[in-house]
Amino acid sequence: MTLYKNLLNVSGLSHLEAAHFHDVRRDTINSWSSGRNPTPNGVILEIATLIQKMHAAVDETMAAVAQQKTKPQTIELGLCSDDHEAQTLGWPCVSVHARVIGTIAAQLIALGHTVEIVPRGSTPSTAAAIEAHD
């Protein structure tokens, strides 16, 4: 397995999503993944930076949960409904956001929390933020 293919798997990007992310053709992603052509260092850095951002988002969320004085009965995690919404949050696509949300959910469950994944915008904190804004 090539380094690029491994990083691609960790990121959760499909080949088509990776092509959009790197702004190259899908054939180019296939070539890098298979090892037919060497992956440029800049591309490796780009996907490694995305993965680091994903880990940081998980760490920040887990730290915020740990700071809660009382354990909520259920923690709702909002998942983007489409790529455009994911991009407004700084993620290249829904699948990457889903990978982050899934990792957070797994860690919370392992700590004994009950987790529900809901459409983004439907969580109580979103409703409270909208109410405060109005």
Side-chain angles (χ1 to χ4, degrees):
M1 178 180 291
T2 66
L3 173 60
Y4 182 75
K5 185 171 184 173
N6 191 307
L7 294 173
L8 196 61
N9 288 340
V10 171
S11 74
L13 290 168
S14 69
H15 281 210
L16 181 59
E17 292 164 339
H20 290 285
F21 178 67
H22 295 298
D23 197 24
V24 297
R25 294 183 9 201
R26 187 174 181 183
D27 290 347
T28 302
I29 300 299
N30 293 338
S31 293
W32 293 338
S33 294
S34 69
R36 271 194 321 262
N37 289 320
T39 308
N41 289 336
V43 170
I44 295 292
L45 180 59
E46 190 174 32
I47 196 164
T49 300
L50 173 63
I51 293 166
Q52 181 58 39
K53 179 180 176 181
M54 294 167 70
H55 287 293
V58 171
D59 292 345
E60 288 171 19
T61 302
M62 296 305 295
V65 169
Q67 290 179 352
Q68 296 291 320
K69 301 219 186 290
T70 58
K71 182 178 172 181
Q73 285 186 325
T74 300
I75 297 175
E76 291 184 341
L77 301 173
L79 178 62
C80 293
S81 60
D82 59 29
D83 287 346
H84 177 73
E85 185 178 11
Q87 290 162 1
T88 64
L89 296 175
W91 301 113
C93 56
V94 172
S95 64
V96 170
H97 188 237
R99 177 72 53 108
V100 171
I101 294 295
T103 302
I104 293 167
Q107 289 189 21
L108 290 170
I109 291 166
L111 292 174
H113 294 279
T114 301
V115 175
E116 186 175 344
I117 297 176
V118 299
R120 191 172 168 278
S122 66
T123 63
S125 59
T126 303
I130 291 169
E131 190 174 301
H133 186 268
D134 292 339

PDB file of all heavy atoms in Angstrom, residues 71-106:
ATOM      1  N   LYS A  71     -22.877  15.019  33.306  1.00  0.00           N
ATOM      2  CA  LYS A  71     -22.880  14.152  32.124  1.00  0.00           C
ATOM      3  C   LYS A  71     -24.263  14.199  31.483  1.00  0.00           C
ATOM      4  O   LYS A  71     -25.244  13.820  32.112  1.00  0.00           O
ATOM      5  CB  LYS A  71     -22.531  12.726  32.540  1.00  0.00           C
ATOM      6  CG  LYS A  71     -22.463  11.740  31.403  1.00  0.00           C
ATOM      7  CD  LYS A  71     -22.064  10.374  31.918  1.00  0.00           C
ATOM      8  CE  LYS A  71     -22.186   9.338  30.822  1.00  0.00           C
ATOM      9  NZ  LYS A  71     -21.839   8.002  31.306  1.00  0.00           N
ATOM     10  N   PRO A  72     -24.357  14.682  30.242  1.00  0.00           N
ATOM     11  CA  PRO A  72     -25.672  14.706  29.578  1.00  0.00           C
ATOM     12  C   PRO A  72     -26.167  13.292  29.310  1.00  0.00           C
ATOM     13  O   PRO A  72     -25.379  12.373  29.135  1.00  0.00           O
ATOM     14  CB  PRO A  72     -25.397  15.458  28.276  1.00  0.00           C
ATOM     15  CG  PRO A  72     -23.931  15.372  28.066  1.00  0.00           C
ATOM     16  CD  PRO A  72     -23.293  15.170  29.403  1.00  0.00           C
ATOM     17  N   GLN A  73     -27.501  13.134  29.293  1.00  0.00           N
ATOM     18  CA  GLN A  73     -28.063  11.813  29.022  1.00  0.00           C
ATOM     19  C   GLN A  73     -27.679  11.342  27.627  1.00  0.00           C
ATOM     20  O   GLN A  73     -27.264  10.215  27.446  1.00  0.00           O
ATOM     21  CB  GLN A  73     -29.585  11.843  29.162  1.00  0.00           C
ATOM     22  CG  GLN A  73     -30.039  11.884  30.593  1.00  0.00           C
ATOM     23  CD  GLN A  73     -31.544  11.754  30.683  1.00  0.00           C
ATOM     24  OE1 GLN A  73     -32.275  12.247  29.829  1.00  0.00           O
ATOM     25  NE2 GLN A  73     -32.001  11.094  31.718  1.00  0.00           N
ATOM     26  N   THR A  74     -27.842  12.208  26.660  1.00  0.00           N
ATOM     27  CA  THR A  74     -27.499  11.867  25.282  1.00  0.00           C
ATOM     28  C   THR A  74     -26.735  13.044  24.680  1.00  0.00           C
ATOM     29  O   THR A  74     -27.130  14.186  24.846  1.00  0.00           O
ATOM     30  CB  THR A  74     -28.765  11.609  24.440  1.00  0.00           C
ATOM     31  OG1 THR A  74     -29.488  10.528  25.024  1.00  0.00           O
ATOM     32  CG2 THR A  74     -28.411  11.257  23.005  1.00  0.00           C
ATOM     33  N   ILE A  75     -25.656  12.738  24.007  1.00  0.00           N
ATOM     34  CA  ILE A  75     -24.906  13.768  23.299  1.00  0.00           C
ATOM     35  C   ILE A  75     -25.287  13.673  21.828  1.00  0.00           C
ATOM     36  O   ILE A  75     -25.134  12.615  21.210  1.00  0.00           O
ATOM     37  CB  ILE A  75     -23.393  13.593  23.481  1.00  0.00           C
ATOM     38  CG1 ILE A  75     -23.022  13.762  24.963  1.00  0.00           C
ATOM     39  CG2 ILE A  75     -22.623  14.577  22.603  1.00  0.00           C
ATOM     40  CD1 ILE A  75     -21.574  13.500  25.272  1.00  0.00           C
ATOM     41  N   GLU A  76     -25.811  14.764  21.301  1.00  0.00           N
ATOM     42  CA  GLU A  76     -26.185  14.798  19.890  1.00  0.00           C
ATOM     43  C   GLU A  76     -25.046  15.424  19.086  1.00  0.00           C
ATOM     44  O   GLU A  76     -24.540  16.488  19.430  1.00  0.00           O
ATOM     45  CB  GLU A  76     -27.465  15.604  19.694  1.00  0.00           C
ATOM     46  CG  GLU A  76     -28.680  14.926  20.271  1.00  0.00           C
ATOM     47  CD  GLU A  76     -29.968  15.689  19.989  1.00  0.00           C
ATOM     48  OE1 GLU A  76     -29.903  16.893  19.669  1.00  0.00           O
ATOM     49  OE2 GLU A  76     -31.027  15.069  20.083  1.00  0.00           O
ATOM     50  N   LEU A  77     -24.676  14.753  18.032  1.00  0.00           N
ATOM     51  CA  LEU A  77     -23.640  15.235  17.121  1.00  0.00           C
ATOM     52  C   LEU A  77     -24.302  15.552  15.790  1.00  0.00           C
ATOM     53  O   LEU A  77     -24.950  14.689  15.199  1.00  0.00           O
ATOM     54  CB  LEU A  77     -22.550  14.172  16.945  1.00  0.00           C
ATOM     55  CG  LEU A  77     -21.834  13.721  18.220  1.00  0.00           C
ATOM     56  CD1 LEU A  77     -20.913  12.551  17.924  1.00  0.00           C
ATOM     57  CD2 LEU A  77     -21.060  14.878  18.828  1.00  0.00           C
ATOM     58  N   GLY A  78     -24.121  16.775  15.314  1.00  0.00           N
ATOM     59  CA  GLY A  78     -24.742  17.194  14.062  1.00  0.00           C
ATOM     60  C   GLY A  78     -23.874  16.878  12.863  1.00  0.00           C
ATOM     61  O   GLY A  78     -22.723  17.284  12.807  1.00  0.00           O
ATOM     62  N   LEU A  79     -24.437  16.155  11.909  1.00  0.00           N
ATOM     63  CA  LEU A  79     -23.731  15.781  10.686  1.00  0.00           C
ATOM     64  C   LEU A  79     -24.254  16.611   9.516  1.00  0.00           C
ATOM     65  O   LEU A  79     -25.463  16.749   9.341  1.00  0.00           O
ATOM     66  CB  LEU A  79     -23.939  14.292  10.399  1.00  0.00           C
ATOM     67  CG  LEU A  79     -23.295  13.743   9.129  1.00  0.00           C
ATOM     68  CD1 LEU A  79     -21.776  13.886   9.191  1.00  0.00           C
ATOM     69  CD2 LEU A  79     -23.683  12.284   8.935  1.00  0.00           C
ATOM     70  N   CYS A  80     -23.346  17.148   8.723  1.00  0.00           N
ATOM     71  CA  CYS A  80     -23.720  17.932   7.542  1.00  0.00           C
ATOM     72  C   CYS A  80     -24.585  17.107   6.597  1.00  0.00           C
ATOM     73  O   CYS A  80     -24.442  15.896   6.500  1.00  0.00           O
ATOM     74  CB  CYS A  80     -22.467  18.377   6.793  1.00  0.00           C
ATOM     75  SG  CYS A  80     -21.466  19.540   7.702  1.00  0.00           S
ATOM     76  N   SER A  81     -25.451  17.802   5.895  1.00  0.00           N
ATOM     77  CA  SER A  81     -26.345  17.106   4.974  1.00  0.00           C
ATOM     78  C   SER A  81     -25.788  17.017   3.558  1.00  0.00           C
ATOM     79  O   SER A  81     -26.224  16.170   2.781  1.00  0.00           O
ATOM     80  CB  SER A  81     -27.710  17.791   4.940  1.00  0.00           C
ATOM     81  OG  SER A  81     -27.566  19.129   4.504  1.00  0.00           O
ATOM     82  N   ASP A  82     -24.837  17.886   3.208  1.00  0.00           N
ATOM     83  CA  ASP A  82     -24.275  17.840   1.858  1.00  0.00           C
ATOM     84  C   ASP A  82     -22.865  18.431   1.869  1.00  0.00           C
ATOM     85  O   ASP A  82     -22.417  18.991   2.871  1.00  0.00           O
ATOM     86  CB  ASP A  82     -25.178  18.545   0.843  1.00  0.00           C
ATOM     87  CG  ASP A  82     -25.427  20.009   1.155  1.00  0.00           C
ATOM     88  OD1 ASP A  82     -24.557  20.675   1.769  1.00  0.00           O
ATOM     89  OD2 ASP A  82     -26.493  20.523   0.779  1.00  0.00           O
ATOM     90  N   ASP A  83     -22.187  18.293   0.736  1.00  0.00           N
ATOM     91  CA  ASP A  83     -20.805  18.773   0.638  1.00  0.00           C
ATOM     92  C   ASP A  83     -20.709  20.281   0.830  1.00  0.00           C
ATOM     93  O   ASP A  83     -19.755  20.775   1.444  1.00  0.00           O
ATOM     94  CB  ASP A  83     -20.185  18.374  -0.703  1.00  0.00           C
ATOM     95  CG  ASP A  83     -19.873  16.889  -0.782  1.00  0.00           C
ATOM     96  OD1 ASP A  83     -19.881  16.207   0.265  1.00  0.00           O
ATOM     97  OD2 ASP A  83     -19.620  16.406  -1.904  1.00  0.00           O
ATOM     98  N   HIS A  84     -21.677  21.020   0.315  1.00  0.00           N
ATOM     99  CA  HIS A  84     -21.640  22.479   0.470  1.00  0.00           C
ATOM    100  C   HIS A  84     -21.648  22.863   1.951  1.00  0.00           C
ATOM    101  O   HIS A  84     -20.873  23.710   2.386  1.00  0.00           O
ATOM    102  CB  HIS A  84     -22.809  23.134  -0.265  1.00  0.00           C
ATOM    103  CG  HIS A  84     -22.859  24.619  -0.081  1.00  0.00           C
ATOM    104  ND1 HIS A  84     -21.963  25.469  -0.689  1.00  0.00           N
ATOM    105  CD2 HIS A  84     -23.671  25.397   0.685  1.00  0.00           C
ATOM    106  CE1 HIS A  84     -22.226  26.713  -0.319  1.00  0.00           C
ATOM    107  NE2 HIS A  84     -23.256  26.684   0.519  1.00  0.00           N
ATOM    108  N   GLU A  85     -22.520  22.233   2.715  1.00  0.00           N
ATOM    109  CA  GLU A  85     -22.583  22.525   4.146  1.00  0.00           C
ATOM    110  C   GLU A  85     -21.270  22.139   4.831  1.00  0.00           C
ATOM    111  O   GLU A  85     -20.763  22.875   5.684  1.00  0.00           O
ATOM    112  CB  GLU A  85     -23.761  21.785   4.782  1.00  0.00           C
ATOM    113  CG  GLU A  85     -23.964  22.132   6.249  1.00  0.00           C
ATOM    114  CD  GLU A  85     -25.153  21.439   6.869  1.00  0.00           C
ATOM    115  OE1 GLU A  85     -25.726  20.517   6.258  1.00  0.00           O
ATOM    116  OE2 GLU A  85     -25.493  21.833   8.001  1.00  0.00           O
ATOM    117  N   ALA A  86     -20.709  21.003   4.446  1.00  0.00           N
ATOM    118  CA  ALA A  86     -19.424  20.579   5.013  1.00  0.00           C
ATOM    119  C   ALA A  86     -18.339  21.608   4.694  1.00  0.00           C
ATOM    120  O   ALA A  86     -17.519  21.957   5.549  1.00  0.00           O
ATOM    121  CB  ALA A  86     -19.037  19.205   4.475  1.00  0.00           C
ATOM    122  N   GLN A  87     -18.346  22.119   3.481  1.00  0.00           N
ATOM    123  CA  GLN A  87     -17.343  23.098   3.073  1.00  0.00           C
ATOM    124  C   GLN A  87     -17.483  24.409   3.831  1.00  0.00           C
ATOM    125  O   GLN A  87     -16.485  25.068   4.112  1.00  0.00           O
ATOM    126  CB  GLN A  87     -17.408  23.312   1.559  1.00  0.00           C
ATOM    127  CG  GLN A  87     -16.924  22.094   0.801  1.00  0.00           C
ATOM    128  CD  GLN A  87     -17.355  22.065  -0.649  1.00  0.00           C
ATOM    129  OE1 GLN A  87     -18.015  22.963  -1.151  1.00  0.00           O
ATOM    130  NE2 GLN A  87     -17.003  20.977  -1.334  1.00  0.00           N
ATOM    131  N   THR A  88     -18.716  24.779   4.217  1.00  0.00           N
ATOM    132  CA  THR A  88     -18.881  26.004   5.011  1.00  0.00           C
ATOM    133  C   THR A  88     -18.260  25.837   6.395  1.00  0.00           C
ATOM    134  O   THR A  88     -17.932  26.834   7.044  1.00  0.00           O
ATOM    135  CB  THR A  88     -20.369  26.411   5.162  1.00  0.00           C
ATOM    136  OG1 THR A  88     -21.064  25.404   5.891  1.00  0.00           O
ATOM    137  CG2 THR A  88     -21.020  26.665   3.817  1.00  0.00           C
ATOM    138  N   LEU A  89     -18.089  24.599   6.829  1.00  0.00           N
ATOM    139  CA  LEU A  89     -17.447  24.323   8.119  1.00  0.00           C
ATOM    140  C   LEU A  89     -15.944  24.081   7.977  1.00  0.00           C
ATOM    141  O   LEU A  89     -15.257  23.813   8.957  1.00  0.00           O
ATOM    142  CB  LEU A  89     -18.088  23.093   8.770  1.00  0.00           C
ATOM    143  CG  LEU A  89     -19.551  23.232   9.153  1.00  0.00           C
ATOM    144  CD1 LEU A  89     -20.083  21.906   9.671  1.00  0.00           C
ATOM    145  CD2 LEU A  89     -19.735  24.327  10.184  1.00  0.00           C
ATOM    146  N   GLY A  90     -15.463  24.118   6.737  1.00  0.00           N
ATOM    147  CA  GLY A  90     -14.040  23.925   6.512  1.00  0.00           C
ATOM    148  C   GLY A  90     -13.630  22.504   6.176  1.00  0.00           C
ATOM    149  O   GLY A  90     -12.444  22.192   6.122  1.00  0.00           O
ATOM    150  N   TRP A  91     -14.602  21.623   5.928  1.00  0.00           N
ATOM    151  CA  TRP A  91     -14.305  20.249   5.521  1.00  0.00           C
ATOM    152  C   TRP A  91     -14.499  20.137   4.014  1.00  0.00           C
ATOM    153  O   TRP A  91     -15.379  20.768   3.459  1.00  0.00           O
ATOM    154  CB  TRP A  91     -15.226  19.265   6.251  1.00  0.00           C
ATOM    155  CG  TRP A  91     -15.098  19.357   7.736  1.00  0.00           C
ATOM    156  CD1 TRP A  91     -16.051  19.797   8.604  1.00  0.00           C
ATOM    157  CD2 TRP A  91     -13.953  19.049   8.528  1.00  0.00           C
ATOM    158  NE1 TRP A  91     -15.563  19.770   9.886  1.00  0.00           N
ATOM    159  CE2 TRP A  91     -14.277  19.321   9.875  1.00  0.00           C
ATOM    160  CE3 TRP A  91     -12.679  18.574   8.236  1.00  0.00           C
ATOM    161  CZ2 TRP A  91     -13.384  19.119  10.919  1.00  0.00           C
ATOM    162  CZ3 TRP A  91     -11.784  18.378   9.276  1.00  0.00           C
ATOM    163  CH2 TRP A  91     -12.141  18.646  10.600  1.00  0.00           C
ATOM    164  N   PRO A  92     -13.716  19.308   3.338  1.00  0.00           N
ATOM    165  CA  PRO A  92     -13.854  19.225   1.877  1.00  0.00           C
ATOM    166  C   PRO A  92     -15.147  18.566   1.409  1.00  0.00           C
ATOM    167  O   PRO A  92     -15.612  18.847   0.313  1.00  0.00           O
ATOM    168  CB  PRO A  92     -12.634  18.410   1.437  1.00  0.00           C
ATOM    169  CG  PRO A  92     -12.165  17.708   2.655  1.00  0.00           C
ATOM    170  CD  PRO A  92     -12.590  18.529   3.834  1.00  0.00           C
ATOM    171  N   CYS A  93     -15.725  17.691   2.245  1.00  0.00           N
ATOM    172  CA  CYS A  93     -16.933  16.982   1.837  1.00  0.00           C
ATOM    173  C   CYS A  93     -17.581  16.327   3.059  1.00  0.00           C
ATOM    174  O   CYS A  93     -16.984  16.261   4.132  1.00  0.00           O
ATOM    175  CB  CYS A  93     -16.613  15.932   0.773  1.00  0.00           C
ATOM    176  SG  CYS A  93     -15.370  14.755   1.301  1.00  0.00           S
ATOM    177  N   VAL A  94     -18.788  15.819   2.866  1.00  0.00           N
ATOM    178  CA  VAL A  94     -19.527  15.184   3.957  1.00  0.00           C
ATOM    179  C   VAL A  94     -18.791  13.959   4.490  1.00  0.00           C
ATOM    180  O   VAL A  94     -18.784  13.713   5.697  1.00  0.00           O
ATOM    181  CB  VAL A  94     -20.948  14.779   3.500  1.00  0.00           C
ATOM    182  CG1 VAL A  94     -21.653  13.944   4.552  1.00  0.00           C
ATOM    183  CG2 VAL A  94     -21.783  15.998   3.189  1.00  0.00           C
ATOM    184  N   SER A  95     -18.163  13.184   3.622  1.00  0.00           N
ATOM    185  CA  SER A  95     -17.529  11.953   4.100  1.00  0.00           C
ATOM    186  C   SER A  95     -16.424  12.229   5.110  1.00  0.00           C
ATOM    187  O   SER A  95     -16.246  11.465   6.065  1.00  0.00           O
ATOM    188  CB  SER A  95     -17.010  11.097   2.943  1.00  0.00           C
ATOM    189  OG  SER A  95     -15.990  11.757   2.249  1.00  0.00           O
ATOM    190  N   VAL A  96     -15.693  13.321   4.943  1.00  0.00           N
ATOM    191  CA  VAL A  96     -14.663  13.678   5.922  1.00  0.00           C
ATOM    192  C   VAL A  96     -15.330  14.119   7.222  1.00  0.00           C
ATOM    193  O   VAL A  96     -14.922  13.710   8.313  1.00  0.00           O
ATOM    194  CB  VAL A  96     -13.719  14.768   5.370  1.00  0.00           C
ATOM    195  CG1 VAL A  96     -12.801  15.307   6.456  1.00  0.00           C
ATOM    196  CG2 VAL A  96     -12.904  14.219   4.201  1.00  0.00           C
ATOM    197  N   HIS A  97     -16.372  14.937   7.115  1.00  0.00           N
ATOM    198  CA  HIS A  97     -17.094  15.353   8.316  1.00  0.00           C
ATOM    199  C   HIS A  97     -17.676  14.131   9.026  1.00  0.00           C
ATOM    200  O   HIS A  97     -17.617  14.020  10.256  1.00  0.00           O
ATOM    201  CB  HIS A  97     -18.191  16.363   7.960  1.00  0.00           C
ATOM    202  CG  HIS A  97     -18.841  16.967   9.150  1.00  0.00           C
ATOM    203  ND1 HIS A  97     -20.190  16.894   9.369  1.00  0.00           N
ATOM    204  CD2 HIS A  97     -18.316  17.654  10.197  1.00  0.00           C
ATOM    205  CE1 HIS A  97     -20.474  17.507  10.509  1.00  0.00           C
ATOM    206  NE2 HIS A  97     -19.357  17.968  11.022  1.00  0.00           N
ATOM    207  N   ALA A  98     -18.210  13.188   8.260  1.00  0.00           N
ATOM    208  CA  ALA A  98     -18.765  11.964   8.845  1.00  0.00           C
ATOM    209  C   ALA A  98     -17.678  11.152   9.555  1.00  0.00           C
ATOM    210  O   ALA A  98     -17.931  10.560  10.609  1.00  0.00           O
ATOM    211  CB  ALA A  98     -19.433  11.123   7.766  1.00  0.00           C
ATOM    212  N   ARG A  99     -16.478  11.131   8.999  1.00  0.00           N
ATOM    213  CA  ARG A  99     -15.366  10.409   9.640  1.00  0.00           C
ATOM    214  C   ARG A  99     -15.033  11.056  10.982  1.00  0.00           C
ATOM    215  O   ARG A  99     -14.817  10.371  11.973  1.00  0.00           O
ATOM    216  CB  ARG A  99     -14.160  10.408   8.700  1.00  0.00           C
ATOM    217  CG  ARG A  99     -12.894   9.771   9.190  1.00  0.00           C
ATOM    218  CD  ARG A  99     -12.921   8.246   9.281  1.00  0.00           C
ATOM    219  NE  ARG A  99     -13.333   7.577   8.083  1.00  0.00           N
ATOM    220  CZ  ARG A  99     -12.543   6.880   7.272  1.00  0.00           C
ATOM    221  NH1 ARG A  99     -11.268   6.769   7.536  1.00  0.00           N
ATOM    222  NH2 ARG A  99     -13.038   6.277   6.216  1.00  0.00           N
ATOM    223  N   VAL A 100     -15.023  12.383  11.021  1.00  0.00           N
ATOM    224  CA  VAL A 100     -14.752  13.095  12.277  1.00  0.00           C
ATOM    225  C   VAL A 100     -15.861  12.816  13.297  1.00  0.00           C
ATOM    226  O   VAL A 100     -15.585  12.462  14.447  1.00  0.00           O
ATOM    227  CB  VAL A 100     -14.607  14.618  12.025  1.00  0.00           C
ATOM    228  CG1 VAL A 100     -14.538  15.392  13.326  1.00  0.00           C
ATOM    229  CG2 VAL A 100     -13.376  14.900  11.173  1.00  0.00           C
ATOM    230  N   ILE A 101     -17.111  12.956  12.863  1.00  0.00           N
ATOM    231  CA  ILE A 101     -18.250  12.723  13.756  1.00  0.00           C
ATOM    232  C   ILE A 101     -18.244  11.271  14.258  1.00  0.00           C
ATOM    233  O   ILE A 101     -18.493  11.005  15.439  1.00  0.00           O
ATOM    234  CB  ILE A 101     -19.580  13.057  13.036  1.00  0.00           C
ATOM    235  CG1 ILE A 101     -19.669  14.553  12.736  1.00  0.00           C
ATOM    236  CG2 ILE A 101     -20.788  12.586  13.840  1.00  0.00           C
ATOM    237  CD1 ILE A 101     -19.725  15.453  13.939  1.00  0.00           C
ATOM    238  N   GLY A 102     -17.946  10.339  13.382  1.00  0.00           N
ATOM    239  CA  GLY A 102     -17.894   8.934  13.772  1.00  0.00           C
ATOM    240  C   GLY A 102     -16.799   8.654  14.796  1.00  0.00           C
ATOM    241  O   GLY A 102     -16.996   7.874  15.738  1.00  0.00           O
ATOM    242  N   THR A 103     -15.649   9.278  14.622  1.00  0.00           N
ATOM    243  CA  THR A 103     -14.550   9.109  15.578  1.00  0.00           C
ATOM    244  C   THR A 103     -14.930   9.678  16.936  1.00  0.00           C
ATOM    245  O   THR A 103     -14.672   9.066  17.982  1.00  0.00           O
ATOM    246  CB  THR A 103     -13.265   9.776  15.050  1.00  0.00           C
ATOM    247  OG1 THR A 103     -12.945   9.200  13.777  1.00  0.00           O
ATOM    248  CG2 THR A 103     -12.100   9.582  16.001  1.00  0.00           C
ATOM    249  N   ILE A 104     -15.556  10.856  16.929  1.00  0.00           N
ATOM    250  CA  ILE A 104     -16.022  11.455  18.183  1.00  0.00           C
ATOM    251  C   ILE A 104     -17.040  10.535  18.851  1.00  0.00           C
ATOM    252  O   ILE A 104     -16.952  10.266  20.060  1.00  0.00           O
ATOM    253  CB  ILE A 104     -16.624  12.855  17.926  1.00  0.00           C
ATOM    254  CG1 ILE A 104     -15.538  13.831  17.477  1.00  0.00           C
ATOM    255  CG2 ILE A 104     -17.353  13.373  19.168  1.00  0.00           C
ATOM    256  CD1 ILE A 104     -16.068  15.135  16.897  1.00  0.00           C
ATOM    257  N   ALA A 105     -17.990  10.039  18.067  1.00  0.00           N
ATOM    258  CA  ALA A 105     -19.021   9.152  18.615  1.00  0.00           C
ATOM    259  C   ALA A 105     -18.388   7.911  19.245  1.00  0.00           C
ATOM    260  O   ALA A 105     -18.758   7.517  20.355  1.00  0.00           O
ATOM    261  CB  ALA A 105     -20.015   8.760  17.523  1.00  0.00           C
ATOM    262  N   ALA A 106     -17.442   7.300  18.563  1.00  0.00           N
ATOM    263  CA  ALA A 106     -16.799   6.093  19.090  1.00  0.00           C
ATOM    264  C   ALA A 106     -16.092   6.374  20.410  1.00  0.00           C
ATOM    265  O   ALA A 106     -16.192   5.587  21.362  1.00  0.00           O
ATOM    266  CB  ALA A 106     -15.806   5.539  18.061  1.00  0.00           C
TER     267      ALA A 106
END
